[in-house]
Amino acid sequence: MAPWPELENAQPNTNKYLEGVTSQQPTTPGKGKEINKNDTGSPVTKIELLPSNSTVALIEEPTEVADPWDLPELRDTGIKWSERDTKGKILCVFQGIGKFILLLGFLYFFVCSLDVLSSAFQLAGGKVAGQFFSNNSIMSNPVAGMVIGVLVTVLVQSSSTSSSIVVSMVASSLLSVRAAIPIIMGANIGTSITNTIVALMQAGDRNEFRRAFAGATVHDFFNWLSVLVLLPLEAATHYLETLTDVVVETFHFENGEDAPALLKVITDPFTKLIIQLDKKVISEIAMNEEAAKNKSLIKIWCKTLTSVTQMNVTVPSPENCTSPSLCWSDGLYTWTIKNVTSKENIAKCQHIFVNSNLPDIVVGTILLLISLLVLCGCLIMIVKLLGSVLRGQVAIVIKKTINTDFPFPFAWVTGYLAILVGAGMTFVVQSSSVFTSAMTPLIGIGVISIERAYPLTLGSNIGTTTTAILAALASPGNTLRSSLQIALCHFFFNISGIMLWYPIPFTRLPIRLAKGLGIVSSKYRWFAVFYLIFFFFLIPLAVFGLSLAGWPVLVGVGVPIIFVILLVVVLTLLQSRCPRILPGRLQNWNFLPLWMHSLKPWDDLISLFAGCCQNRCCLCCRLCCRTCCLLCGCPPCCRCSGCCQNLEEEPELPIKVPEAFDNVAMSREAPDEPPQAQGEAGGTRSIASSTAL
């Protein structure tokens, strides 16, 4: 028999792994061996290999990695219906009814808090938003107009408000339709911030937050990608302006009834008790009316009487008279008759801030904090109730109904049907923000998949434009054409975006980008807040500031940045697809400093400052201590400072290894340790993880 292979100085006891070795064993056959005779008659011992502690056991078999986007199974952990007695069944029915009523109640307050949140943003930033519109020279720049639309919609939390301001400016000839189209595109981006804020409320659970944030930001990426493609196309060809002009000229629209406010009928009785706003003030500020700048957005008088009377007034000269027959002079003054409109206040509003005399910014801040608190609480309770209700067969039925495609060959129809459902639901609730925000917690708990939420979100974009078209048809005669053309521009912009990013599965980039952002944000949850601030505030403000300096500055700064971004995207694609065509240095980003291609150093920095707030010392002492430790090269939590927490020594993880590896040659941490005896019982010992590796 061949000698046992040795591993450096390892001295395994081979007799433990073989039976039938006759060197130091009696020749009497025993259990496990059998003696036969060969042709010559000499006894031959059969050798049986016994199972040993193989080194392969140290290497775990690669397990199949679970898809992080698989919907979780909402299992029913309670008592089955068949196992309940009569009293238990009755109690279960009443519990279900109670949960359903509570769910409707929390959903009602959730929608009301979104309405109050929009009013709070308008109080806090409505006048600033109106001043953005007042600079007509900047809005002639399409890029500046787009970012103004983003900023204004983010500040007032309502694309309907920003669109109505644009309609008023177009009807008053302060803005052309061509200049208004980029603003409408920006408003389409700004309205998607609401459900992204709602997704932040689910940051407690990483898996829920990953799904919820991806489901919310798929709307953001669709709008941003559509603008990146369609805004240059519109600036070059003006296809939206031409198409909508042809539609308005072809169909002779007449004034109709306003869009039915189905959801407002339910929520207005409650929200009007909290706050009521005079939204005409923002439009007047946008039209450069000086008197409106000192007005308050808080509505004081809800019932007024407007009367028109004829009065004798003086005019500078006879040319200013209303007509020659109504003009006379008494030698000193020239008189004429004019219609004078007088407004009489009859009844005050009934909201809680009607007699507060507080500035708009103070009332807006108070309402902002209260609405966010109510929004967060309602969302938490909705998620908890949905998690308790959607279990067992109910969850299976709902998930199959929502996420299952039609059978082949009609599977492609399912997505377009979801677009129609999203458009219909948005038309019912009269707000795409309400629909997508209500859908976000369902995505988080795993009832709706990202792939199904995407067409529903696209449908909500269509639904909100149909509402705007009906509202435009109810406009007065002098604003009918302009408001209808702008509403149709919004409609065809969303239709064009859907044609770009939905029909072909390969072009559904928003889903892949949203999933990537969801994975990063679930690992580094602070990155979600950074994304929100960077894309909805910093970038629009930076572009707006560069636009104030003129086209040359905007192009000179923007073109190099865009070139660098495109270069990074191309290199990243080549590194992932075909790295062999790149030089060795460019096959990965390791040639850059770690902080330039990884979020880990930034996460450590944020954790460092966040950890300062969790200790006993004052903030100044903690910051000085941490700075001193960093400068001196001490570990982040050194034992010499009372402000730093001592790290507990991590216990060594026991790893069982074969006795063949239990010797001095394999241990790098204790080279002088005497070798173990060959006949030691047990055959395993605990060593550190570094020793095992």
Side-chain angles (χ1 to χ4, degrees):
M1 181 178 177
W4 187 269
E6 294 185 0
L7 180 59
E8 293 184 355
N9 297 332
Q11 298 177 359
N13 187 359
T14 58
N15 296 333
K16 288 190 175 183
Y17 299 89
L18 294 177
E19 283 190 359
V21 180
T22 58
S23 58
Q24 296 179 356
Q25 300 292 337
T27 56
T28 308
K31 183 179 178 182
K33 23 181 207 183
E34 208 174 300
I35 297 178
N36 292 335
K37 293 184 179 181
N38 57 6
D39 297 336
T40 60
S42 59
V44 176
T45 305
K46 277 191 177 180
I47 299 175
E48 242 180 73
L49 287 176
L50 294 180
S52 65
N53 293 325
S54 172
T55 59
V56 182
L58 289 176
I59 306 174
E60 295 183 359
E61 292 291 335
T63 57
E64 185 177 352
V65 180
D67 187 1
W69 299 104
D70 284 343
L71 297 181
E73 293 187 11
L74 304 175
R75 297 178 181 178
D76 191 358
T77 57
I79 305 174
K80 294 182 179 180
W81 179 264
S82 58
E83 298 176 358
R84 297 178 184 268
D85 55 5
T86 304
K87 182 180 178 180
K89 291 180 179 179
I90 295 175
L91 184 62
C92 182
V93 170
F94 279 106
Q95 283 180 348
I97 295 174
K99 288 179 181 179
F100 182 72
I101 294 174
L102 283 175
L103 186 62
L104 291 179
F106 284 118
L107 187 61
Y108 175 78
F109 286 110
F110 174 77
V111 175
C112 290
S113 65
L114 287 176
D115 195 356
V116 176
L117 182 69
S118 174
S119 300
F121 272 104
Q122 291 181 49
L123 284 171
K127 291 186 177 180
V128 178
Q131 291 174 358
F132 277 124
F133 280 121
S134 61
N135 196 335
N136 296 336
S137 60
I138 297 178
M139 287 189 292
S140 60
N141 179 354
V143 179
M146 186 270 293
V147 297
I148 286 174
V150 175
L151 289 171
V152 170
T153 309
V154 168
L155 289 174
V156 302
Q157 281 292 290
S158 173
S159 60
S160 301
T161 302
S162 55
S163 300
S164 63
I165 296 173
V166 173
V167 168
S168 302
M169 295 181 69
V170 172
S172 304
S173 300
L174 295 175
L175 197 66
S176 64
V177 174
R178 179 171 298 181
I181 291 175
I183 302 176
I184 296 299
M185 293 182 180
N188 212 45
I189 294 174
T191 191
S192 61
I193 192 177
T194 307
N195 60 330
T196 309
I197 295 175
V198 171
L200 294 177
M201 307 301 175
Q202 292 183 263
D205 184 274
R206 290 186 186 271
N207 292 326
E208 286 188 9
F209 183 56
R210 180 179 63 249
R211 289 189 293 266
F213 198 72
T217 53
V218 73
H219 195 187
D220 305 353
F221 283 115
F222 169 78
N223 290 330
W224 279 109
L225 289 174
S226 299
V227 167
L228 288 176
V229 174
L230 297 179
L231 181 61
L233 183 63
E234 171 63 21
T237 63
H238 308 293
Y239 85 100
L240 285 176
E241 181 186 6
T242 305
L243 178 61
T244 54
D245 187 64
V246 170
V247 172
V248 172
E249 289 293 337
T250 304
F251 300 95
H252 299 285
F253 294 102
E254 297 181 358
N255 292 5
E257 295 183 358
D258 201 351
L262 302 178
L263 192 64
K264 291 287 185 182
V265 174
I266 304 173
T267 58
D268 277 355
F270 179 74
T271 56
K272 285 185 176 180
L273 294 176
I274 301 175
I275 191 66
Q276 294 185 48
L277 301 182
D278 187 4
K279 298 182 180 179
K280 294 180 181 178
V281 176
I282 303 177
S283 300
E284 292 172 356
I285 293 175
M287 295 178 186
N288 287 322
E289 294 187 12
E290 292 295 329
K293 295 181 180 179
N294 298 322
K295 288 184 180 179
S296 174
L297 283 171
I298 301 175
K299 198 172 185 178
I300 305 296
W301 299 96
C302 286
K303 190 174 182 181
T304 58
L305 178 63
T306 303
S307 59
V308 180
T309 57
Q310 291 184 344
M311 296 181 63
N312 296 335
V313 295
T314 59
V315 291
S317 63
E319 288 79 9
N320 300 110
C321 294
T322 54
S323 67
S325 60
L326 299 177
C327 188
W328 69 93
S329 176
D330 58 359
L332 296 176
Y333 301 101
T334 302
W335 294 84
T336 187
I337 298 177
K338 284 187 177 182
N339 293 329
V340 178
T341 302
S342 60
K343 188 176 181 181
E344 182 182 358
N345 298 322
I346 297 177
K348 281 189 172 183
C349 300
Q350 299 299 320
H351 57 87
I352 59 179
F353 293 99
V354 67
N355 296 316
S356 63
N357 295 324
L358 294 173
D360 288 358
I361 185 67
V362 175
V363 177
T365 305
I366 294 172
L367 289 178
L368 182 64
L369 295 175
I370 294 175
S371 59
L372 284 176
L373 186 63
V374 174
L375 181 72
C376 182
C378 290
L379 187 64
I380 291 172
M381 296 307 300
I382 287 173
V383 171
K384 296 293 184 184
L385 286 172
L386 287 174
S388 63
V389 171
L390 300 178
R391 298 185 302 180
Q393 288 298 121
V394 178
I396 294 174
V397 171
I398 292 178
K399 288 169 68 175
K400 282 186 176 180
T401 304
I402 296 177
N403 300 307
T404 305
D405 294 335
F406 287 126
F408 182 81
F410 302 104
W412 60 274
V413 181
T414 312
Y416 295 96
L417 181 62
I419 292 176
L420 294 178
V421 171
M425 294 296 295
T426 305
F427 180 79
V428 169
V429 300
Q430 295 283 295
S431 173
S432 61
S433 298
V434 171
F435 175 72
T436 53
S437 300
M439 191 170 59
T440 299
L442 295 176
I443 301 171
I445 65 175
V447 175
I448 303 177
S449 64
I450 308 294
E451 289 75 14
R452 183 63 72 241
Y454 181 52
L456 289 171
T457 302
L458 301 186
S460 71
N461 274 3
I462 299 296
T464 192
T465 57
T466 56
T467 304
I469 291 173
L470 290 178
L473 291 174
S475 302
N478 58 339
T479 63
L480 175 63
R481 177 184 173 84
S482 57
S483 59
L484 185 58
Q485 187 171 1
I486 291 173
L488 288 174
C489 287
H490 196 185
F491 174 76
F492 285 113
F493 166 73
N494 283 307
I495 292 293
S496 303
I498 291 174
M499 293 174 64
L500 280 174
W501 308 114
Y502 187 75
I504 306 174
F506 175 76
T507 61
R508 295 173 187 174
L509 293 180
I511 295 179
R512 283 178 274 180
L513 294 175
K515 284 185 175 182
L517 182 61
I519 292 174
V520 173
S521 300
S522 63
K523 185 177 181 181
Y524 307 106
R525 280 175 277 195
W526 55 266
F527 188 76
V529 180
F530 171 78
Y531 160 81
L532 206 63
I533 296 174
F534 186 75
F535 278 93
F536 289 96
F537 290 98
L538 296 183
I539 288 182
L541 283 173
V543 175
F544 180 74
L546 292 173
S547 301
L548 292 175
W551 262 106
V553 177
L554 180 63
V555 173
V557 176
V559 169
I561 294 176
I562 294 174
F563 176 75
V564 171
I565 293 174
L566 291 176
L567 182 63
V568 170
V569 171
V570 171
L571 278 177
T572 304
L573 290 176
L574 291 176
Q575 288 172 358
S576 60
R577 300 292 181 181
C578 43
R580 295 182 179 179
I581 67 174
L582 295 173
R585 188 174 179 83
L586 296 179
Q587 290 183 1
N588 52 53
W589 296 109
N590 293 336
F591 65 92
L592 294 175
L594 185 62
W595 61 270
M596 293 185 66
H597 63 91
S598 174
L599 293 177
K600 187 65 172 64
W602 298 100
D603 185 63
D604 294 339
L605 184 63
I606 292 174
S607 302
L608 177 67
F609 283 100
C612 291
C613 303
Q614 299 175 358
N615 299 316
R616 295 185 298 273
C617 303
C618 64
L619 179 62
C620 180
C621 294
R622 287 196 298 271
L623 290 177
C624 293
C625 169
R626 294 296 177 104
T627 306
C628 178
C629 291
L630 288 175
L631 292 176
C632 299
C634 300
C637 287
C638 55
R639 299 180 182 274
C640 60
S641 172
C643 299
C644 301
Q645 297 176 354
N646 295 333
L647 288 175
E648 297 180 359
E649 295 183 0
E650 297 183 1
E652 293 183 349
L653 298 177
I655 301 179
K656 292 187 176 183
V657 298
E659 189 180 343
F661 291 88
D662 188 14
N663 57 76
V664 63
M666 294 300 295
S667 177
R668 291 177 293 179
E669 296 183 356
D672 299 330
E673 186 180 344
Q676 301 288 333
Q678 295 183 7
E680 180 181 352
T684 59
R685 67 186 284 264
S686 298
I687 60 174
S689 58
S690 60
T691 307
L693 294 176

